[in-house]
Amino acid sequence: MLHMEKPNTVTCTAPVNIAVIKYCKVWIYVTLHQDQLKTTTTVATSRSFQEDRIWLNGKEEDITHPRLQSCLREIRRLARKRSKDGDRALDSMRLSHKVHICSVNDFPTAAGLASSAAGFACLVYTLAQVFGVEGELSEIARQGSGSACRSMYGGFVQWIMGEEDNGKDSLAQQVAPETHWPELRVLVLVASAERKPVGSTSGMQTSVQTSRLLKHRAESVVPGRMEEMIEAVQRKDFAAFADLTMKDSNQFHATCLDTYPPIFYLNSVSQQVINLVHRYNRHYKETRLAYTFDAGPNAVIYTLQQHVPEFVQTVQHFFPPETNGGEFVKGLPIEQVALSEELRQAIGLEPLPKGISYVISTKVGPGPCVLEDPTQHLLGSDGWPKKTL
Amino acid sequence: MLHMEKPNTVTCTAPVNIAVIKYCKVWIYVTLHQDQLKTTTTVATSRSFQEDRIWLNGKEEDITHPRLQSCLREIRRLARKRSKDGDRALDSMRLSHKVHICSVNDFPTAAGLASSAAGFACLVYTLAQVFGVEGELSEIARQGSGSACRSMYGGFVQWIMGEEDNGKDSLAQQVAPETHWPELRVLVLVASAERKPVGSTSGMQTSVQTSRLLKHRAESVVPGRMEEMIEAVQRKDFAAFADLTMKDSNQFHATCLDTYPPIFYLNSVSQQVINLVHRYNRHYKETRLAYTFDAGPNAVIYTLQQHVPEFVQTVQHFFPPETNGGEFVKGLPIEQVALSEELRQAIGLEPLPKGISYVISTKVGPGPCVLEDPTQHLLGSDGWPKKTL
């Protein structure tokens, strides 16, 4: 019988990212701040563990899932290689130890917040810390979720998927760090608890196979927009950034509709948000707001700090929240202002009660971090999930 | 003072058409039967009339509207030319007479049923009868509503818009007459009484200016689909006809979404109809139904006669009508059948109560007709609207 031994435990967090150029082979992402939205993962290894196990959001899940298995296999392979190369004084014993993995999201897993990308990125980052693997982790993260590598960086991130099946020629790189554009604010308008009807992976594959417009978008539209978007970010040109973001979101959803059978991610709440944003901008004769939608109905709004209070009042007016619901705005605090009658009339939409459950107020943030404080581990000193989960 | 004189009065009807290939310069239309949907127009001329006047759906409207004026001017010009050429023994006096026009639609003018195209087609056709003008009327109809000339023919109609501003090189022709495919049935699912948010003319112009995908659709997708559609109609190949119809409807709405700011014609009811149709077809492993949507949320369903009863039951199940509403199905009578449990489960959507107000059951029909029965005139023997309007 094995004697009890204290596990080797590491906890990391990783951010959620929102794409502003969305095409299956070329993306530009904005990393959201982990003070508001993050995945936390603890990995422990111990010779006393009988098998690899995983708990997600408080519930044990199947560790034999192929994506999990390929992440684990790849990290162990890289660790073994390093150990053999003598490049690092890693206790080679630890390579044979089983792992316990515990992960939680501090945001709802409902449609559109790319929880699986953040989750896999955090898992890979944490495993790499545990097994002492450094370097190009996004290759491994891609084994888990095609888009996980985007969560390996902070700030503004460009990802170009290569041609090889193993992903070795894919390239993720930072366009600008999280400190680059401090006035930029991000508001997540959480629209609905409904699950999205089609998983985004199968959705994108069906689009590639059936949408004639997607092919044209890929070949003739996206390359130019990538360049323009990178320039807009580097110049901090909000109007250019916003127009490109909105046009690219619309075109992405247009190719979803051109998929056969068509895929719908935008619902009536999304359509109302889109109309509201365009009317708001038109009223001010200036592009002050941008929307973007991933594979779900939740709107992500980009704006500059000074416009946030009025915009939030506008949202609250046109999507009146439940009177006995929780707080309407979570995250970064927002000043209360009055909504002008002119703006209300210029928008002139019929209010859609309870269309938006709540708003998460956040900004651009850093990539994955190691948490040094052991009280933040999700696994106890015995290597098992803490009771509080 | 003028003595009373009996006006010269003609009444005609014209059909509604639904496009199955929808692009601003190239269209294929299906003419719906006038037993279910039609515009009726009476035109009277009399030397006792003081001025041109028009009544639409029981309300006097402004005759100085530029589109109306150009229709009137063009018809009178052609009539004058004919009269001069001595080609026809038209009382040249009548050319100087003022006209009274009275027109009604027997269907709601709500979104998506192309009432303006049918209205202008009927007006031009009736004016031509009154003034003894024959020949290429679609040129004139185009002065009224760009798409009016499609209502000048019955059956399946192809319209190719030319390059010239005056429309003289545009071409409308019949692909197949209304008797060609007697099993084909058309069901209009009237979704909502809401007005469409953007007029379709301005919508299409904004799309041409802003949608990158529309350009590609026009150059690379539509020409091939026109040929395939004509072949499918001529072969009466329902599966090919249906797939092309659905793909083209989706791609049209995709380019609306790629327009900037985007245009939405499909609402949550439309999305549910689309999902229902694809799941119905998947259940039978055969394309038995096709949907298409014009510039509004109403679905137009094509199917073959034998599938109508079950499909209507399906619609009634997934869009439960108001219990105290009017009749759910109008038009061609439909046999009552039971909905199988397998089909209900295979579709498996959440019912959307009152999503569809009613269904109009119809088929392919003929072009404009002259009504010989004088009791059907909308203007009385004095040349003024009948009291019953």
Side-chain angles (χ1 to χ4, degrees):
Chain A
M1 193 175 158
L2 294 161
H3 72 100
M4 280 305 290
E5 183 191 22
K6 204 175 168 216
N8 176 40
T9 305
V10 177
T11 300
C12 301
T13 63
V16 164
N17 298 54
I18 301 293
V20 289
I21 297 284
K22 309 169 198 285
Y23 172 63
C24 48
K25 302 201 164 187
V26 194
W27 304 81
I28 292 180
Y29 293 100
V30 177
T31 308
L32 304 192
H33 205 287
Q34 296 174 56
D35 282 354
Q36 283 75 47
L37 296 163
K38 67 173 178 298
T39 292
T40 306
T41 302
T42 298
V43 172
T45 58
S46 167
R47 56 184 291 187
S48 70
F49 294 165
Q50 301 292 304
E51 51 184 349
D52 293 335
R53 298 179 76 156
I54 189 165
W55 293 264
L56 298 180
N57 293 313
K59 190 165 159 285
E60 182 156 17
E61 298 286 345
D62 182 8
I63 192 86
T64 66
H65 190 291
R67 287 175 162 190
L68 284 171
Q69 285 298 312
S70 65
C71 279
L72 284 167
R73 194 169 48 238
E74 190 67 5
I75 281 279
R76 282 174 167 140
R77 189 184 64 77
L78 286 174
R80 206 169 291 118
K81 187 159 167 286
R82 291 217 153 215
S83 177
K84 262 192 201 142
D85 295 351
D87 191 40
R88 195 186 169 93
L90 177 77
D91 175 7
S92 67
M93 274 301 289
R94 203 190 296 160
L95 283 170
S96 62
H97 290 176
K98 299 296 179 188
V99 296
H100 282 185
I101 302 165
C102 191
S103 187
V104 292
N105 296 330
D106 67 352
F107 54 90
T109 39
L113 272 177
S115 52
S116 120
F120 274 108
C122 201
L123 173 64
V124 169
Y125 192 81
T126 316
L127 285 170
Q129 301 294 323
V130 168
F131 288 110
V133 173
E134 284 166 356
E136 187 50 75
L137 297 178
S138 57
E139 263 177 43
I140 306 161
R142 282 195 55 234
Q143 310 272 338
S145 164
S147 47
C149 58
R150 72 204 202 187
S151 282
M152 304 301 280
Y153 299 87
F156 302 81
V157 181
Q158 174 184 196
W159 179 48
I160 297 168
M161 188 177 156
E163 300 297 321
E164 292 180 36
D165 277 349
N166 61 11
K168 295 216 193 248
D169 60 344
S170 75
L171 175 74
Q173 63 184 36
Q174 204 178 50
V175 170
E178 65 268 24
T179 52
H180 169 67
W181 198 349
E183 305 80 19
L184 194 67
R185 286 293 175 278
V186 185
L187 298 157
V188 183
L189 276 45
V190 179
S192 145
E194 285 166 37
R195 302 286 301 178
K196 55 192 176 183
V198 182
S200 57
T201 309
S202 87
M204 192 60 100
Q205 282 163 356
T206 315
S207 293
V208 169
Q209 285 155 16
T210 63
S211 170
R212 305 268 300 262
L213 301 183
L214 180 63
K215 192 166 179 295
H216 178 70
R217 166 167 161 72
E219 288 166 4
S220 305
V221 182
V222 168
R225 281 191 182 162
M226 286 289 282
E227 276 184 44
E228 291 174 52
M229 180 62 90
I230 290 169
E231 276 174 32
V233 167
Q234 287 171 344
R235 287 199 318 269
K236 296 191 266 188
D237 177 344
F238 184 78
F241 170 80
D243 274 327
L244 283 165
T245 297
M246 292 188 276
K247 285 179 181 170
D248 203 74
S249 176
N250 295 337
Q251 197 172 78
F252 164 68
H253 291 281
T255 62
C256 292
L257 187 45
D258 189 50
T259 299
Y260 195 72
I263 300 165
F264 298 102
Y265 294 124
L266 305 180
N267 64 18
S268 56
V269 173
S270 322
Q271 293 178 351
Q272 170 109 331
V273 169
I274 289 172
N275 286 334
L276 187 154
V277 164
H278 284 291
R279 290 175 186 205
Y280 185 104
N281 289 339
R282 190 179 58 190
H283 175 66
Y284 285 113
K285 297 184 180 64
E286 185 183 51
T287 309
R288 294 189 176 182
L289 302 171
Y291 54 78
T292 191
F293 296 82
D294 277 1
N298 295 349
V300 174
I301 303 291
Y302 292 98
T303 188
L304 297 177
Q305 194 171 1
Q306 69 261 35
H307 306 311
V308 170
E310 189 187 51
F311 174 66
V312 169
Q313 284 303 316
T314 310
V315 171
Q316 208 149 357
H317 179 84
F318 289 101
F319 297 95
E322 274 186 279
T323 37
N324 292 323
E327 49 177 358
F328 188 62
V329 181
K330 308 184 183 197
L332 292 177
I334 292 168
E335 200 191 332
Q336 287 267 339
V337 294
L339 183 60
S340 82
E341 185 60 20
E342 295 98 296
L343 177 59
R344 207 176 58 66
Q345 287 191 0
I347 291 173
L349 293 165
E350 188 74 30
L352 217 60
K354 298 175 219 165
I356 290 176
S357 317
Y358 59 93
V359 175
I360 303 167
S361 159
T362 185
K363 57 183 182 176
V364 183
C369 312
V370 179
L371 297 185
E372 303 292 352
D373 175 3
T375 67
Q376 299 193 285
H377 290 328
L378 302 175
L379 297 166
S381 57
D382 57 355
W384 292 85
K386 288 183 179 172
K387 286 275 157 60
T388 52
L389 283 176
Chain B
M1 196 175 159
L2 295 162
H3 72 100
M4 280 307 287
E5 182 191 18
K6 205 174 167 215
N8 176 40
T9 305
V10 177
T11 299
C12 302
T13 63
V16 164
N17 299 56
I18 300 293
V20 290
I21 297 284
K22 308 167 199 283
Y23 171 63
C24 49
K25 301 200 165 187
V26 195
W27 305 79
I28 293 180
Y29 293 100
V30 176
T31 307
L32 306 193
H33 205 287
Q34 295 175 54
D35 282 353
Q36 284 76 47
L37 297 163
K38 67 173 175 301
T39 292
T40 306
T41 301
T42 299
V43 173
T45 59
S46 168
R47 57 184 289 188
S48 70
F49 294 164
Q50 301 292 305
E51 51 184 349
D52 293 336
R53 298 179 76 156
I54 188 165
W55 293 264
L56 299 179
N57 293 313
K59 191 166 160 282
E60 181 157 16
E61 299 286 343
D62 183 8
I63 192 87
T64 67
H65 190 292
R67 287 175 161 190
L68 283 171
Q69 285 299 311
S70 63
C71 280
L72 284 168
R73 196 168 46 239
E74 190 66 6
I75 282 277
R76 282 174 167 141
R77 189 184 64 77
L78 287 174
R80 206 167 292 120
K81 187 161 166 285
R82 292 218 154 212
S83 177
K84 263 190 200 144
D85 295 351
D87 191 41
R88 195 184 168 94
L90 179 76
D91 174 9
S92 69
M93 274 302 286
R94 203 189 296 160
L95 282 169
S96 61
H97 290 175
K98 300 296 178 188
V99 296
H100 282 186
I101 302 164
C102 191
S103 187
V104 292
N105 296 329
D106 67 353
F107 53 90
T109 40
L113 273 177
S115 51
S116 119
F120 274 107
C122 201
L123 173 63
V124 169
Y125 192 82
T126 316
L127 285 170
Q129 302 294 323
V130 169
F131 288 109
V133 173
E134 283 167 354
E136 187 50 76
L137 297 178
S138 57
E139 262 177 44
I140 305 162
R142 281 196 56 232
Q143 310 273 337
S145 165
S147 47
C149 58
R150 72 204 203 188
S151 281
M152 303 303 280
Y153 299 87
F156 302 82
V157 181
Q158 174 184 199
W159 179 48
I160 298 168
M161 187 175 153
E163 300 298 320
E164 291 179 38
D165 277 349
N166 62 11
K168 297 216 190 246
D169 60 343
S170 76
L171 176 74
Q173 63 184 37
Q174 204 179 51
V175 170
E178 66 268 23
T179 51
H180 169 67
W181 198 350
E183 305 80 20
L184 194 68
R185 285 293 175 277
V186 185
L187 299 158
V188 183
L189 276 45
V190 180
S192 144
E194 286 167 36
R195 302 286 302 178
K196 54 190 178 186
V198 182
S200 56
T201 309
S202 89
M204 193 60 99
Q205 281 164 357
T206 315
S207 293
V208 170
Q209 284 154 17
T210 64
S211 170
R212 305 269 299 264
L213 300 184
L214 180 63
K215 194 167 178 294
H216 177 70
R217 165 167 163 71
E219 289 167 4
S220 306
V221 182
V222 168
R225 282 192 181 162
M226 286 288 283
E227 276 183 43
E228 290 173 53
M229 180 61 90
I230 290 169
E231 276 173 31
V233 167
Q234 287 171 344
R235 286 202 318 269
K236 296 191 265 188
D237 177 344
F238 185 78
F241 170 79
D243 275 327
L244 283 165
T245 296
M246 292 189 276
K247 284 180 181 170
D248 203 74
S249 175
N250 295 336
Q251 198 173 76
F252 164 68
H253 291 281
T255 63
C256 292
L257 187 46
D258 188 50
T259 299
Y260 194 73
I263 299 165
F264 298 102
Y265 294 124
L266 305 180
N267 64 17
S268 54
V269 173
S270 322
Q271 293 178 351
Q272 171 109 331
V273 169
I274 289 173
N275 286 334
L276 186 155
V277 165
H278 284 291
R279 290 175 186 206
Y280 185 103
N281 288 340
R282 191 179 57 192
H283 174 67
Y284 285 111
K285 297 184 179 63
E286 184 183 52
T287 308
R288 294 188 177 184
L289 301 171
Y291 53 78
T292 190
F293 296 82
D294 277 359
N298 295 350
V300 174
I301 303 290
Y302 292 99
T303 189
L304 297 177
Q305 194 171 1
Q306 71 261 35
H307 305 311
V308 170
E310 189 187 52
F311 174 65
V312 168
Q313 285 302 316
T314 311
V315 171
Q316 209 150 356
H317 179 85
F318 289 102
F319 298 96
E322 272 186 279
T323 36
N324 292 322
E327 49 178 358
F328 188 62
V329 181
K330 308 183 184 198
L332 292 177
I334 292 168
E335 200 192 331
Q336 286 268 339
V337 295
L339 184 61
S340 83
E341 184 60 21
E342 295 99 295
L343 177 60
R344 208 176 58 67
Q345 286 190 0
I347 291 174
L349 293 165
E350 188 73 30
L352 216 61
K354 299 175 219 165
I356 290 176
S357 317
Y358 59 93
V359 175
I360 303 167
S361 160
T362 184
K363 59 183 181 176
V364 183
C369 314
V370 179
L371 296 186
E372 303 294 351
D373 175 5
T375 67
Q376 298 192 287
H377 291 328
L378 302 174
L379 296 166
S381 56
D382 58 355
W384 292 84
K386 289 184 178 171
K387 286 274 157 63
T388 53
L389 283 177

